[in-house]
Amino acid sequence: MSSHVTLGFHASLDVPAYAKGLVGSSVTLEPSWTVRQLASAVERFCATKGVGVRITALVNPVRGAAAVPHEQATSHFHAGDRALVVGDFQQGAWPSAQDAFKPREPGSLVPITIFTGFLGAGKTTVLNHLLLHQREKKFAVIENEFGAVPIDNELLANSALGMAEQVIVMENGCMCCTVRGDLLGAFDAIRKQMETGSPLDGVIIETTGMADPVPIVRTLRTTPDIARYFKLDGTITLVDTKTILNRLSECAGGKEDQERHRQISFADKILLNKLDLVDQEQVAEVWHRIRSYNATAPVVGTVKGIVDSSELTNIGAFDTESIVLETEVHGHGGGHGHGGHGDCGDDDCQEDHG
């Protein structure tokens, strides 16, 4: 039997006038829904009122924490509870990742997502879930073997990944490939595997903890043998909700610390992992801090790296003009996007851009 929750917005948000009338609205809660599905229902409800709400986290103030997105909503919200939104507003609805996803047509270019993030943020966990547990999409994951932890070390330790650019095909149709030489070899191996009858929805390149994505973008866009079969789709950065504030406070530490800012400002989408390890106030504080570096990239909350596979592709961030700019200029202005970021890009800068 369905129940209802009462819609509200976290006290830290600057709620625009056109959205204030939504406060106190009743939103249906179905007993089978996850928290992520409840969040989608809230977004749809707001859209019917002409307000775009893009939710990073739902908070039950009685519990004082963000609800775990993949868990049952009824384990976090009871009938009549308030569900406080941490997220973005705009006039008019945002398209959801599920609505934006379109199956890749045969013969079309395979989209590439660059997946970066700080060491310890949980990239390996996200990729293991993608390779082993989801069944909705088929991805090839290109793993940088110099990363701190290989993908599912126990699973792959005795596999054929000991051979250069060898592709491992998982039971769910996903693939995993370790980069030992340049990216071209990995993409060639994936292309050959696809030609044997293994279709893909996308390719994900996992980078090391402090890897700057710009050189990877340059390689992908200036290598004809890659561009003939694949296209760059966007960059996703994974953030550890518990440790990110301390890491971002270290900007004056030099080039390596500024790289932490650049990974956020460059991102086309940000996954906010480990929401369950902090209270609601820190979730909101982290969200605001991220927004100070990147004003527009969707921020998707997650726990234990469990994220809907549709969030990892169909980003559509790279157009022709932005690629020309990025492959020629290693620097990012103010705001977001390819062509404007919150970090100045100057390795010698000692100013906190947050």
Side-chain angles (χ1 to χ4, degrees):
M1 181 176 179
S2 62
S3 57
H4 294 81
V5 294
T6 302
L7 177 60
F9 301 109
H10 194 270
S12 68
L13 297 182
D14 183 14
V15 181
Y18 59 79
K20 289 183 178 179
L22 295 171
V23 175
S25 297
S26 181
V27 179
T28 298
L29 169 59
E30 297 292 345
S32 62
W33 281 355
T34 64
V35 171
R36 187 170 282 118
Q37 289 172 314
L38 173 60
S40 295
V42 171
E43 292 173 343
R44 290 193 300 271
F45 171 81
C46 294
T48 66
K49 307 300 181 181
V51 179
V53 174
R54 190 167 59 187
I55 297 174
T56 297
L58 281 180
V59 171
N60 185 335
V62 174
R63 294 170 177 262
V68 177
H70 65 270
E71 292 183 354
Q72 289 297 115
T74 51
S75 67
H76 293 270
F77 298 96
H78 297 138
D81 281 352
R82 286 196 299 159
L84 304 184
V85 170
V86 177
D88 300 295
F89 303 92
Q90 74 170 16
Q91 288 186 300
W94 264 293
S96 69
Q98 290 82 1
D99 293 339
F101 181 80
K102 297 178 181 178
R104 189 178 70 83
E105 296 182 2
S108 63
L109 300 180
V110 180
I112 302 166
T113 301
I114 299 172
F115 187 42
T116 187
F118 308 157
L119 290 172
K123 285 186 301 174
T124 300
T125 305
V126 172
L127 295 177
N128 279 337
H129 174 74
L130 188 72
L131 288 170
L132 299 174
H133 302 299
Q134 65 85 31
R135 293 292 186 271
E136 294 81 21
K137 307 288 186 296
K138 293 181 180 180
F139 290 94
V141 175
I142 298 177
E143 181 199 10
N144 185 338
E145 72 161 352
F146 301 107
V149 181
I151 296 172
D152 200 340
N153 192 44
E154 292 184 4
L155 175 71
L156 300 178
N158 299 315
S159 73
L161 274 179
M163 300 175 62
E165 281 81 47
Q166 177 67 44
V167 175
I168 299 298
V169 180
M170 303 296 177
E171 182 271 334
N172 62 353
C174 290
M175 304 179 196
C176 185
C177 181
T178 298
V179 176
R180 295 182 179 275
D182 57 28
L183 280 174
L184 179 58
F187 277 102
D188 189 54
I190 290 170
R191 177 188 60 80
K192 290 177 180 177
Q193 185 64 47
M194 289 173 60
E195 289 177 348
T196 67
S198 300
L200 287 176
D201 293 302
V203 176
I204 297 177
I205 301 176
E206 179 264 344
T207 70
T208 55
M210 292 299 292
D212 187 342
V214 172
I216 300 175
V217 171
R218 184 181 300 115
T219 298
L220 295 176
R221 297 300 301 190
T222 59
T223 307
D225 286 342
I226 295 177
R228 189 175 296 117
Y229 303 98
F230 304 89
K231 65 176 181 179
L232 192 56
D233 187 38
T235 299
I236 295 176
T237 295
L238 186 69
V239 169
D240 183 334
T241 310
K242 183 169 182 167
T243 64
I244 187 63
L245 293 177
N246 289 335
R247 295 202 175 198
L248 288 176
S249 68
E250 301 168 350
C251 182
K255 178 177 179 180
E256 185 172 289
D257 292 325
Q258 289 183 32
E259 190 58 51
R260 295 166 182 162
H261 296 247
R262 186 174 290 119
Q263 286 190 356
I264 293 175
S265 64
F266 191 91
D268 302 299
K269 181 174 287 187
I270 296 165
L271 302 184
L272 195 56
N273 199 27
K274 306 183 184 181
L275 288 178
D276 57 327
L277 300 184
V278 300
D279 61 23
Q280 61 167 318
E281 300 306 326
Q282 184 163 333
V283 170
E285 184 179 359
V286 169
W287 183 87
H288 283 287
R289 191 66 183 272
I290 288 172
R291 279 286 170 255
S292 73
Y293 295 107
N294 188 323
T296 60
V299 181
V300 179
T302 183
V303 169
K304 297 181 180 178
I306 299 174
V307 61
D308 193 297
S309 56
S310 62
E311 297 285 0
L312 303 178
T313 190
N314 276 47
I315 300 169
F318 288 85
D319 58 37
T320 302
E321 292 181 359
S322 66
I323 291 302
V324 170
L325 176 64
E326 281 178 350
T327 54
E328 293 179 353
V329 182
H330 187 109
H332 318 290
H336 164 67
H338 303 283
H341 301 286
D343 178 39
C344 68
D346 182 354
D347 291 338
D348 296 320
C349 175
Q350 300 297 307
E351 181 178 354
D352 188 343
H353 297 275

